[in-house]
Amino acid sequence: MAAANEFLNIVGLINESNKILVVGHIMPDGDDISSVLSLSMGLQKIGKEVVSAIDWKIPSYFNEIQEVSSIKTFEEAKDFNPDLIIIVDASSPDRVGRFSEILSKFKVVVIDHHGTNVFFGNYNWVDSSFGAAAQMILRLNKELGVKYDERLAHINLMGIETDTGFFKYSNADERVFRDAAELISLGARPDLIARMILENKKLEQFLLLSRMIEKLKLDCEGTLAYSYLSQEDYKEFNCSEEDSGGFVSEIRSIKGVEVAIFLSEFEKGEIHVSFRSKEWFDVSKVAVILGGGGHPRAAGATIKGNIEEIVEEVVRVTKSVLEGERK
Ligand code: AMP
Ligand code: MN
Ligand code: MN
């Protein structure tokens, strides 16, 4: 169904519902947390009973946003009996963790901007032309008649700012800047969001970064760069996976690199693979082959197994797609 119709269907469905569960994705990022909170705050402003939930630990650097403490765990949210579930920023059911097991019992709306979305809701507003899901929430809130205050504007901006790499990726188009300007005029503070996420590092993260750099390898005449961190690396520096958040972008920033891969063993035997590309290579194609998804310039997958073997496998698959598509 055309996106415009689906948008209006979803507005109608929300207006008819009283109890709404808003769910984000596992390994939540700034766009996801922003989208969950902005939609939940908007729905509360128009009188809905709302529970917000994410089945994953929220990185501690988001705790400066006090509203983050209202996001419930799966255990805390599972007994809420909603009229409607709205899932934001997630492309497939496995991305919502254990919530995937209860979806069949409820009416489910999916609001997402991933080109790899599999349309797993009863209603799916999916539009990959948006740089951030938070831009879709801004439009939905406005259509629902939500009045924006400074807090809502600030939290809504966080998703737009983080998913565009602080307004520097190719998805930072005119509409992104217009939406950001609108939210700034309503009281959002882009400087505080950037400081909270980019200038809040502990010293150990630099030691972890140096380990990642030690393990860095270049291939395909310097167009492919990759590195990884094992559980032992994280433990050695008293860090966890949230401390390697920006590492894949550091790898992509190398001159001549088109494709960057960073593999993180976030738990023993469980590896998250982050892909980034600079100009032309569609990393979401590789992520999909590996069971994940994402966008053309930023994608990911989660794989179980031995870290060194998975590094080899991921590099092999990426090289075969890259060599097939090289311009
Ligand atoms: P990340 O590398 O985790 O920052 O993710 C980059 C992009 O890929 C984000 O838009 C994610 O939502 C998406 N992504 C990451 N991991 C997965 C996955 N396992 N399945 C589908 N999409 C993913
Ligand atoms: Mn996300
Ligand atoms: Mn997003």
Side-chain angles (χ1 to χ4, degrees), residues 175-203:
R175 190 169 50 173
V176 158
F177 282 96
R178 284 191 192 282
D179 288 351
E182 182 179 344
L183 292 167
I184 291 166
S185 76
L186 291 164
R189 289 282 305 272
D191 57 325
L192 297 187
I193 295 165
R195 203 190 306 157
M196 175 180 79
I197 294 172
L198 301 176
E199 297 180 351
N200 217 352
K201 297 194 175 86
K202 46 185 198 194
L203 187 61

Side-chain angles (χ1 to χ4, degrees), residues 53-230:
I54 295 177
D55 187 20
W56 202 270
K57 183 184 177 295
I58 296 181
S60 52
Y61 47 86
F62 288 111
N63 289 342
E64 270 185 36
I65 305 267
Q66 66 183 40
E67 290 81 352
V68 163
S69 64
S70 69
I71 301 176
K72 301 214 174 329
T73 61
F74 174 75
E75 280 81 11
E76 289 164 343
K78 71 179 190 317
D79 296 327
F80 183 56
N81 191 23
D83 306 323
L84 187 63
I85 297 181
I86 307 181
I87 296 172
V88 293
D89 197 38
S91 54
S92 55
D94 55 300
R95 294 286 288 158
V96 294
R98 285 169 289 173
F99 285 104
S100 64
E101 294 158 17
I102 63 164
L103 296 183
S104 62
K105 291 193 238 157
F106 299 96
K107 237 182 288 173
V108 176
V109 162
V110 171
I111 300 175
D112 186 32
H113 69 128
H114 291 91
T116 56
N117 192 289
V118 298
F119 289 71
F120 61 106
N122 304 105
Y123 296 83
N124 303 277
W125 178 30
V126 176
D127 189 340
S128 62
S129 72
F130 284 104
Q135 293 179 275
M136 303 174 79
I137 303 304
L138 172 63
R139 281 160 181 75
L140 181 58
N141 275 344
K142 288 206 288 190
E143 187 68 26
L144 290 166
V146 171
K147 298 263 178 302
Y148 268 68
D149 56 21
E150 273 179 24
R151 267 328 274 173
L152 178 51
H154 185 68
I155 289 171
N156 204 158
L157 180 67
M158 179 169 78
I160 303 175
E161 190 164 344
T162 52
D163 252 23
T164 59
F166 302 84
F167 306 108
K168 69 182 178 304
Y169 298 155
S170 56
N171 60 1
D173 58 11
E174 184 185 342
R175 190 169 50 173
V176 158
F177 282 96
R178 284 191 192 282
D179 288 351
E182 182 179 344
L183 292 167
I184 291 166
S185 76
L186 291 164
R189 289 282 305 272
D191 57 325
L192 297 187
I193 295 165
R195 203 190 306 157
M196 175 180 79
I197 294 172
L198 301 176
E199 297 180 351
N200 217 352
K201 297 194 175 86
K202 46 185 198 194
L203 187 61
E204 289 88 339
Q205 285 179 267
F206 287 87
L207 303 174
L208 193 68
L209 178 66
S210 79
R211 173 62 52 85
M212 186 283 279
I213 294 169
E214 277 167 28
K215 292 181 162 187
L216 184 73
K217 288 197 174 132
L218 287 161
D219 205 329
C220 300
E221 288 132 23
T223 58
L224 171 65
Y226 60 94
S227 187
Y228 70 95
L229 290 171
S230 65

Side-chain angles (χ1 to χ4, degrees), residues 243-297:
D243 298 314
S244 55
F247 287 9
V248 71
S249 310
E250 294 295 335
I251 302 175
R252 174 171 56 182
S253 73
I254 300 166
K255 188 174 179 179
V257 165
E258 172 59 22
V259 188
I261 312 173
F262 173 65
L263 300 97
S264 157
E265 190 180 28
F266 61 94
E267 264 176 40
K268 192 72 199 158
E270 292 197 54
I271 290 110
H272 184 69
V273 194
S274 287
F275 297 94
R276 297 292 184 273
S277 64
K278 208 179 261 164
E279 265 181 58
W280 61 271
F281 185 65
D282 184 351
V283 283
S284 73
K285 284 189 189 165
V286 184
V288 166
I289 295 173
L290 296 165
H295 310 284
R297 304 284 167 269

Side-chain angles (χ1 to χ4, degrees), residues 228-248:
Y228 70 95
L229 290 171
S230 65
Q231 263 297 297
E232 289 72 28
D233 293 320
Y234 285 110
K235 292 217 173 97
E236 188 178 329
F237 300 112
N238 201 15
C239 286
S240 68
E241 99 271 7
E242 72 175 62
D243 298 314
S244 55
F247 287 9
V248 71

Side-chain angles (χ1 to χ4, degrees), residues 25 29 31-32 89 114 163:
H25 65 71
D29 49 26
D31 185 33
D32 188 51
D89 197 38
H114 291 91
D163 252 23

